[in-house]
Amino acid sequence: MSPSKVTFLGTGTSQGIPMIACDCAVCQSTDERDKRLRVSVHIEIGGKSFIIDTGPDFRQQVLRAGIKRLDAVLYTHEHKDHTAGMDDVRGFNFHQQSSIPLYARAQVIEQLKREFAYAFGENKYPGVPEIDVYEIDGQPFTVQGINIQPIFVKHFYLDVLGFRFGNFAYVTDANSIAPDEQNKLRNLDVLVINALRKTTHVSHFTLAEALELIADLKPKQAYITHVSHQMGLHAEVQKELPPNVSLAYDGLVLNL
């Protein structure tokens, strides 16, 4: 089963755009597509509501998108720009009167336990996040009847998970993908892939590297996310892209 709707909650890098104290053309741009919160995506599939990553802007993103229900959170990896907003699942606890399932690799769960120890203690203070934590790895898994295929990618030396739902796949924070994992990204209608900037970076694809991978994988449509201010103005970069590739932007909605 593929998603019926995908909303880009955030498409920026770890510092967002505009970046603090930066006077570059992108950070000073008045084009709303150049204003990027930390990377996250909302997926509606089979009547369920999933969010991938809860970064520092999680609360703002959920309010802006008008998301009223959350059935599960999937985590790509443990970096703070992907996990720092976990506490704000409390709003869904109150609204839904239920705990929120979190799905992550063991190392991510350990990081969450350190950063949000109060949510994991035996004697919890009233009002802390109510969560159910499930460990995942490279094997396909099912969440409330929805089949999900993890894809291992490398973020320099760190293992990160991408996720495939039917003919849609989401990969962020990667600079290499092994051939066997690339094969899990073929025959897609939509691929979301990260590209930080045009110049080389130690842990992220450049725009040229992402475009090369897209050309090899041949999705019907691809979207670039996790974009830094160094990439350039959205309107200008978009003109350079092939017809089946677009720069994603905050608030972009795909009805699939």
Side-chain angles (χ1 to χ4, degrees):
M1 181 183 294
S2 298
S4 58
K5 182 179 178 182
V6 173
T7 303
F8 289 87
L9 303 179
T11 57
T13 186
S14 59
Q15 297 188 69
I17 303 173
M19 196 173 79
I20 290 173
C22 183
D23 295 323
C24 78
V26 176
C27 288
Q28 297 301 310
S29 172
T30 58
D31 187 339
E32 288 299 316
R33 297 173 299 178
D34 288 319
K35 301 182 189 304
R36 302 179 183 274
L37 300 178
R38 268 62 73 93
V39 69
S40 178
V41 69
H42 179 232
I43 294 173
E44 297 179 46
I45 179 170
K48 303 300 180 181
S49 169
F50 298 158
I51 288 178
I52 301 179
D53 292 335
T54 58
D57 305 312
F58 178 66
R59 175 182 173 275
Q60 180 182 355
Q61 292 167 335
V62 166
L63 288 171
R64 182 174 65 180
I67 298 168
K68 302 295 186 182
R69 180 171 182 84
L70 181 59
D71 292 299
V73 174
L74 311 179
Y75 284 106
T76 59
H77 65 299
E78 63 266 37
H79 284 166
K80 290 283 282 187
D81 56 319
H82 297 258
T83 64
M86 190 277 284
D87 183 87
D88 282 317
V89 303
R90 290 183 299 152
F92 292 108
N93 293 150
F94 302 148
H95 180 64
Q96 297 171 204
Q97 291 296 295
S98 66
S99 58
I100 300 298
L102 311 181
Y103 291 80
R105 296 186 66 228
Q107 65 197 52
V108 182
I109 294 171
E110 288 306 309
Q111 187 263 358
L112 291 173
K113 287 180 176 179
R114 290 192 298 271
E115 297 289 335
F116 303 98
Y118 56 88
F120 292 87
E122 290 186 10
N123 299 311
K124 296 179 183 178
Y125 192 82
V128 302
E130 294 294 337
I131 53 177
D132 297 321
V133 180
Y134 299 92
E135 183 179 337
I136 57 173
D137 211 321
Q139 297 302 311
F141 62 101
T142 301
V143 181
Q144 299 190 33
I146 305 301
N147 297 321
I148 304 169
Q149 170 68 65
I151 297 100
F152 269 108
V153 302
K154 282 291 188 182
H155 184 33
F156 190 27
Y157 60 80
L158 183 68
D159 284 327
V160 170
L161 288 183
F163 298 103
R164 177 169 180 163
F165 302 75
N167 291 328
F168 170 90
Y170 180 86
V171 176
T172 186
D173 289 58
N175 71 315
S176 67
I177 306 176
D180 287 349
E181 298 300 303
Q182 287 188 30
N183 288 337
K184 299 173 184 177
L185 294 170
R186 299 191 184 278
N187 302 310
L188 289 170
D189 290 333
V190 176
L191 170 64
V192 181
I193 189 82
N194 74 290
L196 189 73
R197 61 193 193 193
K198 295 178 180 178
T199 55
T200 302
H201 190 272
V202 68
S203 61
H204 288 277
F205 287 125
T206 65
L207 181 58
E209 290 167 342
L211 291 175
E212 182 179 0
L213 181 61
I214 291 166
D216 178 57
L217 296 176
K218 297 181 174 60
K220 292 179 181 177
Q221 185 69 38
Y223 293 88
I224 304 294
T225 193
H226 207 295
V227 175
S228 81
H229 66 156
Q230 295 167 313
M231 179 73 83
L233 293 165
H234 184 285
E236 295 181 1
V237 176
Q238 183 61 48
K239 294 175 184 177
E240 305 170 9
L241 300 179
N244 70 324
V245 181
S246 298
L247 275 189
Y249 55 87
D250 289 21
L252 173 64
V253 174
L254 309 180
N255 290 300
L256 304 176

